[in-house]
Amino acid sequence: MSAYERIADLSVTIESVDRRRYTGETTSGFERTTTEFRLAGDGVVGRGEDVTYETADHDALVGTDPIDIEGEWTIDELSARLEEIDLFAHKPPEQEYFRNYRRWAVESAALDLALRQRGESLGECLGIEPEPVRFVVSTRLGEPPTTDRVEELLALDDELEFKLDPTPDWPEEAFTALRETDAVRILDLKGWYEGTDVDVEADPELYRDVFAAFPTAIVEDAAFTPETRPLVEPQADRLSFDYPIDGVESLESLPVDPGWCNVKPSRFGTLESLFETIAYCEERGIELYGGGQFELASGRTAVQTLAALFYPGGPNDVAPRPFNDPEASPPYPGSPIRPDRDAVGFEF
C-alpha cells in the first residue's frame, strides 16, 4: 500500500476554518509573510502554512470569509472538493504556481487535523519510524559577497554543513575559502527561476568554477543553455532540481535523469502528488532531501517531519528557525535534530 493510500481514507471532521498571519524578518534581508490555515474539529486544530512569497497575496485574504469546507470528509474526498474551489477567488495570485502553495496549506492542515483526531503521528499512520534529521544551513554571502557568515557559524559549530547560492560576482577567494571548509554540500545555481528577485543568469564561467571547486557537492537547478549544457550534462549524477519540480511529470520532462531531487512539499500542491513523487524517486534511485521556504509557523515542522520519515540522512534544507532569524543569537541547534517521540499530526 502506498503512502497516499494509507492516508486517503482517513476521516476528518471540520467544524470551522480560521487563518492566522505571520510576519518576520529573515537573514536573507527581506520580510517574510505567511498565512496559516487552521481547521478545527472535535476539540483539536490542524494547521498548514501557505508559504506564498508575495505579501499582496496574503493581504488579499484579510477580511474575506474562510473557505467552505466544513463537514465530514476523507482526506481524498476533501482533496477532490478542493479541485472545485478557487483558493484565490478574491484576487488571482501574483504567480500561478502559488495556487499549489495554498492548496498544500489546506491539505496539510486537513491531514494534521485528521491525525490529531486519531491521536497519532504521521509516522504511526504510515508505519514508518522517524529518524534524526541531518540539516544544512542555507545562506547567502551578501553584497559584496564574503564568507563571513559561514566562517562565523563554523566557529560556533565546526560540524555544520551549508547550502549556498553562487552568483557571478563571487570572488575567487570565496571559492577557495569555502572549498577549504569542506562544509558545502549543495550549490544552488537558481538557473530555472524567471521573474523573481533571486534569478541568477546561466553564466558558463560560474558553472565551470562551481563544478571545479566543489567536485562532490550537489548542484541544484543548473540551467541548460547552448553554453552551459556541455558543462552540466556530464554532472547528471550530482545534479538536483527544485524550482521546476511539482510532480512526477515534471521529473520525467527534465533534460537529464538527475541523481537528486529537492522535495519542497508546497510545490506539489496535493498530498497525493507529493507522496507519488517521493515513491517515484525511491523506485528510480533518485536521492532525496527536503527543502524549506522561510516558514514561520507549522510549515517548518511539516517539512522536518517529512524529512524524518523519508530522507533523514539527506542534506536537508530544513534548519531550525533560528538560522533564518536575524534576531536569533547563539547557541544554535546542532545537526541532526531529533523528532519528538510523543508528537501527533505533523508535529516534529
Side-chain angles (χ1 to χ4, degrees), residues 205-282:
E205 185 175 347
L206 172 65
Y207 283 33
R208 189 176 296 108
D209 289 344
V210 166
F211 286 127
F214 306 98
T216 62
I218 297 165
V219 178
E220 188 174 293
D221 279 357
F224 286 74
T225 70
E227 294 76 24
T228 64
R229 185 178 289 271
L231 301 169
V232 173
E233 284 186 337
Q235 306 287 340
D237 286 350
R238 63 175 174 133
L239 293 183
S240 178
F241 293 89
D242 159 27
Y243 180 81
I245 305 304
D246 58 10
V248 169
E249 185 176 345
S250 60
L251 272 168
E252 293 176 333
S253 66
L254 289 172
V256 295
D257 294 326
W260 295 82
C261 179
N262 180 350
V263 178
K264 286 184 176 173
S266 65
R267 293 207 190 280
F268 299 89
T270 68
L271 290 160
E272 183 174 20
S273 179
L274 169 67
F275 289 127
E276 179 184 51
T277 304
I278 291 173
Y280 175 91
C281 290
E282 290 175 341

Side-chain angles (χ1 to χ4, degrees), residues 19-67:
R19 299 184 298 259
R20 178 173 293 182
R21 180 175 172 134
Y22 291 85
T23 303
E25 296 297 329
T26 70
T27 51
S28 291
F30 71 97
E31 184 180 76
R32 183 68 162 118
T33 299
T34 67
T35 298
E36 188 176 69
F37 282 76
R38 297 183 164 207
L39 313 183
D42 292 347
V44 292
V45 178
R47 299 170 173 84
E49 190 171 3
D50 175 7
V51 294
T52 296
Y53 278 98
E54 294 293 339
T55 301
D57 288 326
H58 299 282
D59 291 342
L61 289 173
V62 177
T64 63
D65 293 331
I67 53 177

Side-chain angles (χ1 to χ4, degrees), residues 40 52 114 128 193 201 217 268 321 331:
T52 296
I128 303 173
Y193 286 80
E201 63 179 289
F268 299 89
R321 167 68 179 149

Side-chain angles (χ1 to χ4, degrees), residues 97-110:
Y97 58 83
F98 289 164
R99 293 188 183 276
N100 276 3
Y101 291 8
R102 190 159 292 171
R103 177 71 174 270
W104 166 255
V106 179
E107 290 212 9
S108 61

